[in-house]
Amino acid sequence: MSKMRYVSPDHEPQDDNAKKSWFQDRSFWIALLVTTLVLIATGALIVSIEYFSQKDHPDDRFVLHLLTDAFGVSGILGVGIFCLTWVASAGAFDMLVYGVKLVFYTTFMPRERSEKLPKTFYDYKVLKDREKRKPVYGILFPSILFLIVGLILLIFYNI
């Protein structure tokens, strides 16, 4: 007698995390917080670089110029990083990752290569496609917010 429970073909396994949407997931909120802090730090870095690299501050709109660049550039960077995570979740970089792992294991740990890495890329791809991969939406929302604020400041700067 097998110790495995019988499961009918119609029955899907229950997963508590599957019931939650990505908005209710704790990792979403952590990514949102971390992304916001990183975007604020990036904006502060951009402001400090621009402020200290210019010897004279030509007009009163210089502060608006600094804020426009800080919000706009950090928002564009954040949206770009989200796009990379979105493409990576679709499997665009699987061959690159497999190649780097193959070179690393072959060079530094040849005995463990057969245990830690599938023999062919096809096997690796099938194994990775079984995993649930999703983009990190916690990066997208603060980045879009920063980008929108940067565009609004740009409109005020050009008026």
Side-chain angles (χ1 to χ4, degrees), residues 102-122:
L102 182 67
V103 168
F104 179 77
Y105 285 131
T106 303
T107 306
F108 298 111
M109 301 185 318
R111 292 184 185 147
E112 288 87 16
R113 178 182 172 252
S114 61
E115 298 170 3
K116 296 189 176 189
L117 195 64
K119 195 168 213 142
T120 64
F121 172 69
Y122 177 77

Side-chain angles (χ1 to χ4, degrees), residues 2-144:
S2 174
K3 293 184 178 182
M4 291 179 56
R5 295 183 305 162
Y6 173 73
V7 179
S8 68
D10 315 312
H11 187 280
E12 301 243 349
Q14 295 289 335
D15 187 13
D16 293 337
N17 293 334
K19 294 177 186 176
K20 294 180 181 179
S21 69
W22 55 268
F23 190 71
Q24 295 172 335
D25 192 17
R26 176 186 280 178
S27 63
F28 168 78
W29 293 104
I30 292 172
L32 190 79
L33 177 68
V34 169
T35 302
T36 304
L37 293 176
V38 168
L39 290 176
I40 290 170
T42 305
L45 182 67
I46 291 169
V47 165
S48 64
I49 288 172
E50 283 191 20
Y51 182 79
F52 292 115
S53 66
Q54 296 185 5
K55 295 187 191 263
D56 58 337
H57 308 297
D59 56 2
D60 296 335
R61 297 184 336 158
F62 184 67
V63 174
L64 194 58
H65 171 79
L66 291 177
L67 291 175
T68 300
D69 286 349
F71 279 101
V73 171
S74 58
I76 288 171
L77 288 173
V79 169
I81 290 171
F82 170 76
C83 290
L84 283 175
T85 64
W86 180 62
V87 169
S89 70
F93 301 120
D94 285 347
M95 185 172 279
L96 180 66
V97 171
Y98 178 75
V100 169
K101 284 183 178 181
L102 182 67
V103 168
F104 179 77
Y105 285 131
T106 303
T107 306
F108 298 111
M109 301 185 318
R111 292 184 185 147
E112 288 87 16
R113 178 182 172 252
S114 61
E115 298 170 3
K116 296 189 176 189
L117 195 64
K119 195 168 213 142
T120 64
F121 172 69
Y122 177 77
D123 296 335
Y124 178 78
K125 183 69 174 163
V126 168
L127 187 67
K128 291 301 276 184
D129 285 343
R130 286 183 188 161
E131 295 175 5
K132 184 180 178 186
R133 299 186 282 182
K134 59 182 180 176
V136 184
Y137 288 105
I139 297 173
L140 180 65
F141 296 123
S143 301
I144 287 178

Side-chain angles (χ1 to χ4, degrees), residues 134-154:
K134 59 182 180 176
V136 184
Y137 288 105
I139 297 173
L140 180 65
F141 296 123
S143 301
I144 287 178
L145 181 68
F146 270 64
L147 186 59
I148 290 171
V149 169
L151 290 173
I152 291 170
L153 289 172
L154 179 65

